[in-house]
Every structure is written in structure tokens, then in C-alpha cells.
Amino acid sequence: MQEMKSAWIGCMKKLFAALLFGLLVAGTQAQNSGAGIEGIVTDTQNQPLPFVSVVIAESLNGSATGVDGRFVIDDVQPGKHILQIKNLGYKDNEVIVDVIEGKTSEVKIVLQESSVDLQEVVVAGKSKVRQAKEMAYAINSVNVESLHNSNQDLNLVLSKTTGLIVREEGGLGSGFDFAINGLSGNQVKFFVDGIPLVSAGTSLTFNNIPVNLIDRAEVYKGVVPVHLGSDALGGAVNIITKESIRNFIDASYSFGSFNTHRVALNANYYNQSNGLTFNARGFYNYSDNDYKVEVQVVDPESGTYGEPQDLPRFHDAYESRMIQVEGGFRQRNWTDLFLVGATLSDNHNEIQHGVSMDRPYGEVFREDEVLSPFLKYKKDDLFIDGLDVKSYLSYTDGQFLVADTSSRRYNWRGEYQLNNDENIGEASWQKTLFRFNDKTLIGNAGIRYQFKTTQHIDFNYTLSLVNRKGSDPISRYETAFSQPNKLNKSIYGLSYTGKFFNEKLRTTLFAKFYDFHSHMIDVDWSGERTNYSSDYNNTGYGAAVTWFFSETAQLKTSVEKAYRLPEGYEMFGDGLNLLSNPALEPEKSLNANFGINWSYREGIHLLETEANLFYRDAKDFIRNQAEGATSRYVNQRDVLSSGVEAQIRYTWMRNYFISINGTFQNILNNTEFEGQRKSNVYLDRIPNIPYLFGNLALGAEFFSVLCDHDRISGQLNSRFVEEYFLKWPSQGDPERKYVIPRQISHNAEMTYSLHDGKYNVAFEVRNLLDGKLYDHFRLQKPGRSFYVKLRCYISK
């Protein structure tokens, strides 16, 4: 295993070096291959204006300025062009730009404030984030581009939005639970550029993908549009990576507490003359995760627990690598996008404990190795005007190892004693070197037909095939998955979208059909095999409607009867801490949202608000239930979740902002009878899930402070989570109930950028006041920690 790991590391290093050199050369050679326009939009006080529409008058080609006021328009034909510039609260402007072949023309645009009523201002060329927010679905669209210099990982970024809570088990690379409006785990689906993030192992998850590889994130709450082709119950998160026809290299390195190191690279090459394009993304993460936790040490003689003390985690190191390469063509007559590529990732994860911190492990670990080739295709106006198609196909071959080969029993000081039975492992009742192989095929095809300028229909089909087989060379018993376990899912979606009354009313109607087949062979301790087969066919449907009652305000509502099919991970387990449950049934839920968005701008003041009421009535709710040192996914037959979330943000002079949001969610066990008797926990709040939490953010940003084209920004983020019960609230002695205590945490960050963002440095302090923070089964998270990030962005 060590030789294979060393060879893999050497291969990755050589591949990174070759890709970096090749893309540097390609980027240099293609500096002047195309024509474009780039520039900055400011007000009369020379302050950059974000989210300004900049459009070429004679075409639909345009852009919106970023937070630094800068914009880029690629693929511009040589000659003179008129730029039309529009922004809410400012006078429209037009600028003539002379574009020369093979060169990028630069321009500076100054806008003057307007006294015209905001209702009469027409805004074109809206940013992708704003377009997403105006959809009828309950959606948060997060502009990650403005955080590319940040040390934050994606989980931390998304956890600041309303209705979302990310609960991590520890430091870098630890397991986490992503919840939207009370529904979590696999009830929430994850996508990267619309492609499901499944079977990628723990080496490619939201808590280790660097933010500077990402453009924005879209979070759908409850109701999910058919174009994602998902069987989500609680919502979905779609990560959109940086996609550009520009040639660029974006590299970063960060380091910090607990011997943490993170490297990220994103590079792109595009030849405008023939459409040839190449892209490479990659990252490397490492941390010892040796932060101190408050624990009680077991006396090896008496077996009693001592007084609580602060001791370091001694077996929790994490290392992961990923590289993705893709090549093909863009913007050709026969295709808008055709890419063939592959993702290669792996990790090594030391396991410090099980689902609780009562007993530490000293030698248990997991490893993943995943190879995933893929193909993407997209073409608008295929054969006829208005017919758009997109598709992808991926095949994933994942090798997963769970190793528990020690006969030692450790305490939190790192001391150990030998087990009386040398066949017993640390985490399981027998030693294991369990390896399983997942082969996954995922295909998707989407078709949109725009039969009127304001109406279109969408059809989407997604196929998912999973085959798992396992082996264990040191097991004394029958190995789990020694015979292949299979899971097949097909999801069909059809929707109609129309805009009426001058596009003030927008409606989407949709239906989804779910087809599920599984075959599993379960083996008990005696070696007896039991065959399980499941077949389900379900139909879901829903609608989303929004009404713009002014230019700056909208009402929206959405409702869906949704189904979520069990995942292989939930049914099969992982061979160590997660037990199998082949009897799992699909979840179903009635999801509903009602929300309002409103904004108001007056001179240098901007106020933005949004609120959402949500309702989720879930049947056969799947949740992770602790069983001693292990856990198992089970069906909780009827769970009712309802609540409210709201956010308000105030911006002054575009240099300062304050934002506050909060979420209250009441998640109840709505199963009245267990068999023939009434449930003892009927209408109890589901344990181990926060019900009240919120965020506060303060920020400031300044331009041209120490020199021209530099930027200094700072931000303070605070998070509040109310105390909640670890187990059923109505059970046990009220004076001795286990709770996860109320938590208030603070993070602070400052960034400095030079040369219009070419060179950047960021400094961050997490858990500023060094509070004790807990998640999940009262697993303690890191204390105060410090991080520095260096980033260089070169673009031509």
C-alpha cells in the first residue's frame, strides 16, 4: 500500500508540473489570438460600481461588472462598437470603442447619479447571480467570485446563507452534514456544473474544493428544477466552476494552524480561430488536525473516566489530491461546447473516533482512489431555432479502503493496551482490511424547445447505475459485498415555463417520474446470506410561480410532491462505522415555499431584504441513527418540518455593508403510532438537529489605497446556534439530558490585492474567541486557528 501511495504521489507531482508548464506556454502563445473589451465602471467619486450592465449595442454580447467594478467582454469582432452602460440609480451612458483584431481594448467609464424614479430605470444584462434570484424557485445564489482570495472553504461560505447549516465532525477533510430547511444528508443533492457529485469519495467534497475554482453556487430549497435531473427531497446545490474563453492561470497556496496546507491551480487555454480549448484544475490538501479537545481519559485498571482535560487529537491527519483535465471545442458551428476529460482524485484519512468521542482510535484509517472520465456536449439552436440540447456521460471507478488492523485499545493520551482477543479491531468486532469497488455510470440528456420568446418546454433524463463489490483478505467471516450489490435509478423530468403580463408573471409547471431497482446480498455474523431486491416507481409533480409587482420586488411560491431514492451508501454501509440497511424505502415529501424579495436604493444607500416560509411533510424520512459506536440509516416514517428564514443587508457607499440572517425550523416526529401502540416520541422535535441559528456579517472595502489599482477588504462573520438536544427531548431524566450547548463563533478575515487582483494575500482567524464548538453527536471542532493565503491570477 505504501509503495502504491508513493508512486501515486510521484505521478501526481509530475502531472501537475507538466500541466502547469504546458498551460503557461499555451497561454503565452495565445495572448493575442482574439479581440475583446475590458474596463472598469466607476462613479464620479472614482468608486468602482458593481453589477453594472455593459452591452454592445448591435448585439446581445455583454457583461456585468464584478465587485471591483471591472468587466470583460470576449469574442468581439474588430471595428467600432457602441457600449451601452446601465445601472439602477445612475444615468445611462454610451461609449464608442475601437476594437483591433487580436487585441483587448481597455476603457474606463464614469456614471453619474440619476434622480429618475427607480421604477422607470430599465436594467439589462443582469448578472448570473441576479438572474438566478429572480427565478420562481426558492433559491440562494452566492457569488463566490468575490471570495476567490479568501481562505474559506465552500462549506463555510454556504453556511452563511439563510436556511442552511453545515455541521462538520472536525477539521479539514472531516465528515459533514449539509442541511437545507431541516432536510439533510442525501436528501440534499450536490452538483458541479449540473453533473451529480456522486461516487467521488471523500477526496472531492464541498469542504475541500478551493473557492477560487468556483464562479458561483446556486442553492435550491425544497423544490428542484427538472434540468438538474435529481431525486432530491430537501433541495440541491449546484456549483458552477469558472468557465471562460480567456486564457488564464489562477494559482493559490494557503497555510495555517494544525500544519494545514492547501494548494489550488486552475488554468484555461482557448484558441478563438479554431475553438480549441483546454482546461486543468487541481488541488492538494493536508492537515494534521491536531487541535485540542476537552475529553475524559479512561483509567485502564478501573475503567472509570477521569476529570475533563484538554488533549490534542493524535490520529486525525488528512491528505487529499485532485486533478481534472478536459479538452475539446467551444463556439463552433456544430457545437457550443464539446469536452472530453477525466478527474483523478484520492485521499488518506486517519480516523480518530467513531460517531462519538468516548473512545479514540490510534491506527484506523480510510483511503479513496477515484478515476472518472467524462464527456460534455451542448448546442443551442440545434437543427432549428429554439432547440437547445445538453448532455453528459461519466463513468466512475472508485476504490475504497477501510483499515482496522490493530489489537490496541487507545486512550486520549495516546497510550494503549492490547486487547485480550487479538482478532478484535479498534473500531469493529473483528480486524478488517476491507476494500470495496464502486463502478458508477451516470448519463444525462436535456432538451429545451423555445417555441415562443416567452415560453419553452424542457425534458430531462438521468440514468444512474451503481455496482459495488468488496473483499477483505484478513476477515475470518464472509465479506460484505463479496457478491456484487447493484442499484439502478432513472429519473425523467418534463416542464413548461411561461412569462405573461410583460414578464411580470412567470410560471413553471413540471412532472418527474422515478424508477428504482436494487439487488443486495446481506451477510450476518454467522455467514448466512440474505438476498434483498427492491423495485419502486413513483411520479412527482409541482409548480413554481413568481410575480414582479415592481422593478425591485417580487413574490414567489413553489410546491412539489417529491421523491428521494436511497443511495448505495445508505443501503450498503461502509464496512466499518456505517452499517447496512437493505430494507430502506424511498422518501417522499410535500414541499412548499412562499417568499418575498425586495430592494431599495437611494443615493449611496442600498437596502436588500428577503424572507421565505417553508413547509416539508416527509414520509419514510431517512436519517442516520447512532447504534453504539456505529450508526445506520433508518426510515423515520413521518417527519414534519416547517419554519421561516429571513435576511436583510444594508450597503453604504458601496464600501461598507452589514448583513444579518436567521432561520427557525421546527422538525417534528409526526409518526403517531409504532405498530399497534402510540409512539412515545410523537410530536417530539427530531434530536441532534439545530432548530434556531443565524449569521451576522460586517464588511468594508477600499480601492486605490496604497497605490493605483489595489484593494483592501475586511470582514467579520459571527454565527449563532441555539442549544438543542442530542436525544429525544421527551425521554430521559430532565435534569440529566444530553445537549449540544448554545454556540457563538466569530471569524475575521482581511485581504489585500495588487495590480487589479493579479497578486493577492489574505489573513484569516477562525473561532476568534476560542470557544468550544460542537456538531453532530457532540463532536468538538477546532479552537482558534490562523490561516494565510497567497494567490496569483494571470489573464490574457
Side-chain angles (χ1 to χ4, degrees), residues 472-507:
D472 190 340
I474 68 173
S475 175
R476 296 174 295 163
Y477 304 97
E478 183 75 22
T479 303
F481 318 131
S482 58
Q483 300 296 318
N485 287 246
K486 300 178 181 180
L487 187 150
N488 302 335
K489 296 195 295 185
S490 293
I491 302 170
Y492 305 82
L494 181 66
S495 71
Y496 161 81
T497 299
K499 301 177 182 179
F500 309 96
F501 305 109
N502 294 323
E503 300 190 9
K504 290 184 178 181
L505 177 65
R506 306 178 186 182
T507 303

Short mmCIF file of all heavy atoms in Angstrom, two decimals, residues 472-507:
data_model
loop_
_atom_site.label_atom_id
_atom_site.label_comp_id
_atom_site.label_asym_id
_atom_site.label_seq_id
_atom_site.Cartn_x
_atom_site.Cartn_y
_atom_site.Cartn_z
N ASP A 472 -12.06 -8.71 1.68
CA ASP A 472 -11.31 -8.48 2.91
C ASP A 472 -10.38 -9.67 3.12
O ASP A 472 -10.83 -10.75 3.53
CB ASP A 472 -12.26 -8.32 4.09
CG ASP A 472 -11.54 -7.83 5.34
OD1 ASP A 472 -10.31 -7.98 5.42
OD2 ASP A 472 -12.22 -7.29 6.23
N PRO A 473 -9.08 -9.52 2.85
CA PRO A 473 -8.16 -10.67 2.93
C PRO A 473 -7.91 -11.18 4.34
O PRO A 473 -7.41 -12.30 4.50
CB PRO A 473 -6.87 -10.11 2.30
CG PRO A 473 -6.96 -8.63 2.49
CD PRO A 473 -8.41 -8.30 2.38
N ILE A 474 -8.21 -10.41 5.38
CA ILE A 474 -7.92 -10.86 6.74
C ILE A 474 -9.18 -11.21 7.53
O ILE A 474 -9.10 -11.56 8.71
CB ILE A 474 -7.11 -9.80 7.52
CG1 ILE A 474 -7.95 -8.55 7.77
CG2 ILE A 474 -5.83 -9.44 6.77
CD1 ILE A 474 -7.26 -7.55 8.68
N SER A 475 -10.34 -11.11 6.88
CA SER A 475 -11.58 -11.41 7.59
C SER A 475 -11.72 -12.91 7.85
O SER A 475 -11.40 -13.73 6.99
CB SER A 475 -12.78 -10.91 6.79
OG SER A 475 -13.99 -11.29 7.42
N ARG A 476 -12.23 -13.25 9.03
CA ARG A 476 -12.47 -14.66 9.36
C ARG A 476 -13.86 -15.10 8.92
O ARG A 476 -14.20 -16.27 9.01
CB ARG A 476 -12.35 -14.86 10.88
CG ARG A 476 -10.97 -14.59 11.46
CD ARG A 476 -11.00 -14.68 12.96
NE ARG A 476 -11.83 -13.61 13.54
CZ ARG A 476 -12.30 -13.64 14.78
NH1 ARG A 476 -12.05 -14.67 15.57
NH2 ARG A 476 -13.02 -12.63 15.24
N TYR A 477 -14.65 -14.14 8.44
CA TYR A 477 -16.03 -14.44 8.10
C TYR A 477 -16.31 -14.02 6.67
O TYR A 477 -15.47 -13.46 5.98
CB TYR A 477 -16.98 -13.73 9.07
CG TYR A 477 -16.72 -14.06 10.52
CD1 TYR A 477 -15.95 -13.21 11.31
CD2 TYR A 477 -17.23 -15.21 11.08
CE1 TYR A 477 -15.70 -13.51 12.65
CE2 TYR A 477 -16.99 -15.53 12.41
CZ TYR A 477 -16.22 -14.68 13.20
OH TYR A 477 -15.97 -14.98 14.51
N GLU A 478 -17.52 -14.27 6.25
CA GLU A 478 -17.96 -13.88 4.91
C GLU A 478 -17.85 -12.36 4.78
O GLU A 478 -18.28 -11.61 5.65
CB GLU A 478 -19.40 -14.33 4.68
CG GLU A 478 -19.92 -14.03 3.29
CD GLU A 478 -19.36 -14.98 2.24
OE1 GLU A 478 -18.91 -16.09 2.61
OE2 GLU A 478 -19.39 -14.60 1.05
N THR A 479 -17.28 -11.90 3.69
CA THR A 479 -17.06 -10.47 3.49
C THR A 479 -18.30 -9.81 2.90
O THR A 479 -18.93 -10.35 2.00
CB THR A 479 -15.87 -10.24 2.53
OG1 THR A 479 -14.72 -10.88 3.07
CG2 THR A 479 -15.60 -8.75 2.36
N ALA A 480 -18.63 -8.63 3.43
CA ALA A 480 -19.72 -7.85 2.85
C ALA A 480 -19.39 -7.51 1.40
O ALA A 480 -18.24 -7.23 1.05
CB ALA A 480 -19.94 -6.57 3.66
N PHE A 481 -20.38 -7.56 0.54
CA PHE A 481 -20.27 -7.25 -0.89
C PHE A 481 -19.37 -8.22 -1.64
O PHE A 481 -18.84 -7.90 -2.70
CB PHE A 481 -19.74 -5.82 -1.12
CG PHE A 481 -20.32 -4.78 -0.21
CD1 PHE A 481 -19.50 -3.90 0.46
CD2 PHE A 481 -21.68 -4.70 -0.01
CE1 PHE A 481 -20.02 -2.94 1.30
CE2 PHE A 481 -22.22 -3.74 0.83
CZ PHE A 481 -21.39 -2.86 1.49
N SER A 482 -19.14 -9.43 -1.09
CA SER A 482 -18.36 -10.42 -1.83
C SER A 482 -19.07 -10.79 -3.12
O SER A 482 -18.43 -11.18 -4.10
CB SER A 482 -18.12 -11.67 -0.98
OG SER A 482 -19.35 -12.25 -0.57
N GLN A 483 -20.39 -10.67 -3.12
CA GLN A 483 -21.18 -10.77 -4.34
C GLN A 483 -21.64 -9.36 -4.69
O GLN A 483 -21.97 -8.57 -3.81
CB GLN A 483 -22.38 -11.69 -4.14
CG GLN A 483 -22.01 -13.10 -3.75
CD GLN A 483 -21.23 -13.80 -4.86
OE1 GLN A 483 -21.56 -13.66 -6.03
NE2 GLN A 483 -20.18 -14.52 -4.48
N PRO A 484 -21.66 -9.00 -5.97
CA PRO A 484 -21.99 -7.62 -6.36
C PRO A 484 -23.35 -7.17 -5.84
O PRO A 484 -24.33 -7.92 -5.89
CB PRO A 484 -21.97 -7.68 -7.89
CG PRO A 484 -21.10 -8.84 -8.22
CD PRO A 484 -21.33 -9.85 -7.13
N ASN A 485 -23.39 -5.95 -5.34
CA ASN A 485 -24.64 -5.29 -4.97
C ASN A 485 -24.91 -4.20 -6.00
O ASN A 485 -24.00 -3.43 -6.35
CB ASN A 485 -24.53 -4.67 -3.57
CG ASN A 485 -24.54 -5.72 -2.47
OD1 ASN A 485 -25.47 -5.79 -1.68
ND2 ASN A 485 -23.51 -6.54 -2.41
N LYS A 486 -26.14 -4.13 -6.48
CA LYS A 486 -26.44 -3.24 -7.59
C LYS A 486 -27.59 -2.30 -7.24
O LYS A 486 -28.52 -2.68 -6.53
CB LYS A 486 -26.81 -4.06 -8.84
CG LYS A 486 -25.70 -5.00 -9.29
CD LYS A 486 -26.12 -5.82 -10.50
CE LYS A 486 -25.00 -6.77 -10.93
NZ LYS A 486 -25.39 -7.58 -12.12
N LEU A 487 -27.48 -1.09 -7.78
CA LEU A 487 -28.53 -0.10 -7.59
C LEU A 487 -28.67 0.69 -8.88
O LEU A 487 -27.68 1.26 -9.37
CB LEU A 487 -28.18 0.82 -6.42
CG LEU A 487 -29.23 1.84 -5.95
CD1 LEU A 487 -29.07 2.11 -4.46
CD2 LEU A 487 -29.08 3.15 -6.71
N ASN A 488 -29.87 0.73 -9.44
CA ASN A 488 -30.14 1.43 -10.70
C ASN A 488 -31.26 2.45 -10.50
O ASN A 488 -32.30 2.14 -9.93
CB ASN A 488 -30.56 0.45 -11.80
CG ASN A 488 -29.52 -0.62 -12.04
OD1 ASN A 488 -28.34 -0.43 -11.78
ND2 ASN A 488 -29.95 -1.76 -12.53
N LYS A 489 -31.04 3.67 -11.00
CA LYS A 489 -32.05 4.72 -10.90
C LYS A 489 -32.20 5.40 -12.25
O LYS A 489 -31.21 5.68 -12.93
CB LYS A 489 -31.67 5.76 -9.85
CG LYS A 489 -31.60 5.24 -8.44
CD LYS A 489 -31.57 6.38 -7.42
CE LYS A 489 -30.32 7.19 -7.53
NZ LYS A 489 -30.25 8.22 -6.46
N SER A 490 -33.45 5.70 -12.61
CA SER A 490 -33.75 6.50 -13.79
C SER A 490 -34.75 7.58 -13.38
O SER A 490 -35.73 7.30 -12.69
CB SER A 490 -34.35 5.65 -14.91
OG SER A 490 -33.41 4.73 -15.42
N ILE A 491 -34.48 8.81 -13.82
CA ILE A 491 -35.36 9.93 -13.48
C ILE A 491 -35.68 10.69 -14.76
O ILE A 491 -34.78 11.13 -15.49
CB ILE A 491 -34.68 10.87 -12.46
CG1 ILE A 491 -34.29 10.09 -11.20
CG2 ILE A 491 -35.60 12.04 -12.11
CD1 ILE A 491 -33.41 10.86 -10.26
N TYR A 492 -36.97 10.85 -15.02
CA TYR A 492 -37.45 11.59 -16.18
C TYR A 492 -38.12 12.87 -15.70
O TYR A 492 -38.88 12.84 -14.72
CB TYR A 492 -38.46 10.76 -16.97
CG TYR A 492 -37.97 9.39 -17.39
CD1 TYR A 492 -38.02 8.32 -16.49
CD2 TYR A 492 -37.49 9.16 -18.67
CE1 TYR A 492 -37.58 7.05 -16.86
CE2 TYR A 492 -37.06 7.88 -19.06
CZ TYR A 492 -37.11 6.84 -18.15
OH TYR A 492 -36.69 5.59 -18.53
N GLY A 493 -37.88 13.97 -16.38
CA GLY A 493 -38.50 15.23 -16.00
C GLY A 493 -39.03 16.00 -17.20
O GLY A 493 -38.39 16.01 -18.26
N LEU A 494 -40.20 16.62 -17.06
CA LEU A 494 -40.80 17.42 -18.12
C LEU A 494 -41.37 18.68 -17.50
O LEU A 494 -42.07 18.62 -16.48
CB LEU A 494 -41.91 16.64 -18.83
CG LEU A 494 -42.62 17.35 -19.99
CD1 LEU A 494 -41.66 17.58 -21.16
CD2 LEU A 494 -43.82 16.53 -20.45
N SER A 495 -41.09 19.86 -18.09
CA SER A 495 -41.59 21.10 -17.52
C SER A 495 -41.99 22.08 -18.62
O SER A 495 -41.50 22.01 -19.75
CB SER A 495 -40.53 21.75 -16.61
OG SER A 495 -39.46 22.28 -17.38
N TYR A 496 -42.88 22.99 -18.24
CA TYR A 496 -43.30 24.09 -19.12
C TYR A 496 -43.11 25.40 -18.36
O TYR A 496 -43.48 25.52 -17.19
CB TYR A 496 -44.78 23.94 -19.50
CG TYR A 496 -45.39 25.24 -19.99
CD1 TYR A 496 -45.21 25.67 -21.31
CD2 TYR A 496 -46.13 26.06 -19.12
CE1 TYR A 496 -45.75 26.87 -21.75
CE2 TYR A 496 -46.68 27.24 -19.56
CZ TYR A 496 -46.49 27.66 -20.87
OH TYR A 496 -47.01 28.85 -21.30
N THR A 497 -42.50 26.38 -19.01
CA THR A 497 -42.27 27.69 -18.41
C THR A 497 -42.82 28.78 -19.31
O THR A 497 -42.56 28.79 -20.53
CB THR A 497 -40.76 27.94 -18.17
OG1 THR A 497 -40.25 26.95 -17.29
CG2 THR A 497 -40.54 29.32 -17.57
N GLY A 498 -43.59 29.68 -18.74
CA GLY A 498 -44.17 30.78 -19.49
C GLY A 498 -44.06 32.09 -18.74
O GLY A 498 -44.08 32.11 -17.50
N LYS A 499 -43.94 33.19 -19.50
CA LYS A 499 -43.89 34.54 -18.93
C LYS A 499 -45.06 35.33 -19.49
O LYS A 499 -45.27 35.35 -20.71
CB LYS A 499 -42.57 35.22 -19.26
CG LYS A 499 -41.34 34.48 -18.77
CD LYS A 499 -40.05 35.17 -19.19
CE LYS A 499 -38.82 34.40 -18.72
NZ LYS A 499 -37.56 35.07 -19.17
N PHE A 500 -45.80 36.01 -18.60
CA PHE A 500 -47.02 36.69 -19.00
C PHE A 500 -47.06 38.10 -18.41
O PHE A 500 -46.30 38.43 -17.49
CB PHE A 500 -48.24 35.89 -18.54
CG PHE A 500 -48.19 34.43 -18.92
CD1 PHE A 500 -47.72 33.47 -18.02
CD2 PHE A 500 -48.59 34.01 -20.18
CE1 PHE A 500 -47.66 32.14 -18.35
CE2 PHE A 500 -48.54 32.66 -20.53
CZ PHE A 500 -48.08 31.73 -19.62
N PHE A 501 -47.98 38.92 -18.96
CA PHE A 501 -48.18 40.29 -18.47
C PHE A 501 -46.86 41.06 -18.45
O PHE A 501 -46.41 41.52 -17.40
CB PHE A 501 -48.83 40.29 -17.08
CG PHE A 501 -50.11 39.52 -17.01
CD1 PHE A 501 -50.17 38.31 -16.32
CD2 PHE A 501 -51.26 39.99 -17.64
CE1 PHE A 501 -51.34 37.59 -16.25
CE2 PHE A 501 -52.44 39.27 -17.56
CZ PHE A 501 -52.49 38.07 -16.88
N ASN A 502 -46.25 41.16 -19.65
CA ASN A 502 -44.96 41.86 -19.79
C ASN A 502 -43.90 41.25 -18.88
O ASN A 502 -43.06 41.96 -18.30
CB ASN A 502 -45.12 43.34 -19.49
CG ASN A 502 -45.98 44.06 -20.52
OD1 ASN A 502 -45.92 43.74 -21.71
ND2 ASN A 502 -46.79 45.00 -20.06
N GLU A 503 -43.96 39.93 -18.74
CA GLU A 503 -42.99 39.13 -17.98
C GLU A 503 -43.04 39.40 -16.48
O GLU A 503 -42.14 38.98 -15.75
CB GLU A 503 -41.57 39.34 -18.51
CG GLU A 503 -41.39 38.96 -19.96
CD GLU A 503 -39.95 38.94 -20.41
OE1 GLU A 503 -39.06 39.05 -19.55
OE2 GLU A 503 -39.71 38.80 -21.62
N LYS A 504 -44.11 40.05 -16.01
CA LYS A 504 -44.25 40.24 -14.58
C LYS A 504 -44.66 38.94 -13.89
O LYS A 504 -44.31 38.70 -12.72
CB LYS A 504 -45.29 41.32 -14.29
CG LYS A 504 -44.83 42.73 -14.66
CD LYS A 504 -45.86 43.76 -14.25
CE LYS A 504 -45.38 45.17 -14.58
NZ LYS A 504 -46.38 46.20 -14.18
N LEU A 505 -45.40 38.09 -14.58
CA LEU A 505 -45.80 36.79 -14.05
C LEU A 505 -45.03 35.70 -14.77
O LEU A 505 -45.03 35.62 -16.00
CB LEU A 505 -47.30 36.57 -14.24
CG LEU A 505 -47.85 35.20 -13.79
CD1 LEU A 505 -47.71 35.03 -12.28
CD2 LEU A 505 -49.29 35.03 -14.22
N ARG A 506 -44.36 34.84 -14.01
CA ARG A 506 -43.57 33.75 -14.58
C ARG A 506 -43.98 32.46 -13.88
O ARG A 506 -44.00 32.38 -12.65
CB ARG A 506 -42.08 34.00 -14.43
CG ARG A 506 -41.63 35.34 -15.00
CD ARG A 506 -40.15 35.60 -14.81
NE ARG A 506 -39.80 36.95 -15.26
CZ ARG A 506 -38.56 37.44 -15.23
NH1 ARG A 506 -37.55 36.69 -14.78
NH2 ARG A 506 -38.32 38.67 -15.66
N THR A 507 -44.30 31.46 -14.69
CA THR A 507 -44.84 30.20 -14.17
C THR A 507 -44.10 29.01 -14.74
O THR A 507 -43.80 28.98 -15.94
CB THR A 507 -46.34 30.08 -14.51
OG1 THR A 507 -47.03 31.20 -13.98
CG2 THR A 507 -46.92 28.81 -13.93
#
